[in-house]
Amino acid sequence: MGQTVMEHTLPVEDACCMGPDESVLILIKHCQDMKQQETRLRLITLLLLFICTALFIFTTGADLRQHFGSKREMSTVEQSPVPSKQQSLCPAVNPKTSCQNLHIHLRSVATGNTSDGQLIKWDVMFGDNYYYNEEKRAILIHENGLYFVYIRITLSCRSEDGPEGFSVKLQRWNKGYDMIVPLTDAKDGVDCTSQRSRNVFVGQLFDLSEGDHLSVWIDQGYKLIATASAGAFCI
């Protein structure tokens, strides 16, 4: 019995009699293990943080792409009706029936008849003859609209007589009401004893209707006309 007790007590005595160097080594080893675990935890934490940051950036980028993509689709949908609207406002029609295409310039034609009380006869200098009625000596309006009409006449003395009077009138005729309506007029003259020439200009905006005929009537001083021009264009 005594031997048995002695065999069991030896390891205990050995443990109790452990030296201080061995205890320090165990403590150092334990500290090293703790540092390694701390390093692993830091690495794992950094990895998780990197993964979360990458997911956040990816998610944000996907949301932005989806947002701008839907915005572009909406702008395309909003803009797509514009061409069709423009096409409906400006359909393909015969250019001769479009107010915007009226721009005609006329120059007077010498007829040899210089008596007063007649219409000036014209030649088309530029523009379409479609807008000039040679029989009525008038600019023909094909569409309702706002037009600028002008007349320019140069007066010149033909003798050494005293002052000569001049009177011109722009008039309108339409078969719809079959009557001549004066639109505007101008009165001037030239004093052949002191001046040899003079310019007369008339220009004004008019609200005209389809079928209107614009002609230039000379009440007085036809013989004073050296040159004359007239024209009209749509505003």
Side-chain angles (χ1 to χ4, degrees):
M1 292 293 292
Q3 291 178 355
T4 303
V5 171
M6 289 178 64
E7 290 177 357
H8 284 283
T9 57
L10 283 174
V12 176
E13 292 176 354
D14 293 339
C16 294
C17 297
M18 184 179 295
D21 294 336
E22 293 180 359
S23 300
V24 172
L25 291 175
I26 293 173
L27 182 60
I28 292 173
K29 188 175 185 305
H30 178 71
C31 291
Q32 290 177 347
D33 293 340
M34 292 295 292
K35 286 183 178 180
Q36 290 177 356
Q37 291 180 2
E38 184 179 357
T39 303
R40 293 193 196 100
L41 289 175
R42 287 182 178 178
L43 291 174
I44 293 173
T45 303
L46 289 175
L47 181 61
L48 290 175
L49 181 61
F50 175 77
I51 293 174
C52 292
T53 303
L55 288 175
F56 175 77
I57 294 174
F58 176 78
T59 305
T60 304
D63 291 339
L64 289 175
R65 286 194 297 271
Q66 183 178 3
H67 172 72
F68 285 109
S70 61
K71 190 172 182 179
R72 283 195 297 268
E73 291 177 358
M74 291 178 62
S75 63
T76 303
V77 172
E78 291 175 355
Q79 294 175 0
S80 59
V82 174
S84 60
K85 185 176 181 181
Q86 291 176 348
Q87 292 175 1
S88 64
L89 291 176
C90 303
V93 296
N94 185 349
K96 293 182 178 180
T97 62
S98 174
C99 168
Q100 296 297 328
N101 286 338
L102 174 57
H103 188 182
I104 189 169
H105 181 72
L106 310 173
R107 185 176 64 183
S108 64
V109 177
T111 61
N113 180 8
T114 60
S115 60
D116 296 338
Q118 63 173 313
L119 296 172
I120 296 182
K121 185 178 181 180
W122 305 100
D123 268 343
V124 178
M125 298 306 297
F126 63 81
D128 199 327
N129 289 329
Y130 181 72
Y131 298 109
Y132 180 65
N133 187 320
E134 186 174 1
E135 180 184 358
K136 296 186 178 297
R137 302 183 179 183
I139 297 173
L140 178 58
I141 303 299
H142 289 278
E143 186 173 327
N144 299 346
L146 189 63
Y147 296 81
F148 182 78
V149 185
Y150 59 91
I151 306 167
R152 184 180 184 276
I153 298 175
T154 300
L155 306 178
S156 179
C157 290
R158 301 300 176 89
S159 67
E160 296 298 333
D161 296 336
E164 296 281 351
F166 178 79
S167 177
V168 60
K169 183 184 300 180
L170 176 67
Q171 57 188 24
R172 175 177 62 180
W173 174 85
N174 193 308
K175 64 180 180 180
Y177 40 82
D178 196 20
M179 62 181 298
I180 297 174
V181 178
L183 295 177
T184 186
D185 60 6
K187 298 182 184 296
D188 209 322
V190 57
D191 187 355
C192 295
T193 60
S194 60
Q195 56 185 164
R196 305 305 301 175
S197 64
R198 188 172 181 85
N199 290 323
V200 178
F201 180 83
V202 178
Q204 191 172 333
L205 287 172
F206 297 100
D207 187 7
L208 302 176
S209 304
E210 179 183 358
D212 282 345
H213 291 66
L214 307 179
S215 55
V216 180
W217 177 268
I218 304 300
D219 275 329
Q220 181 185 4
Y222 200 109
K223 65 180 182 179
L224 298 176
I225 297 177
T227 60
S229 60
F233 55 89
C234 178
I235 301 299

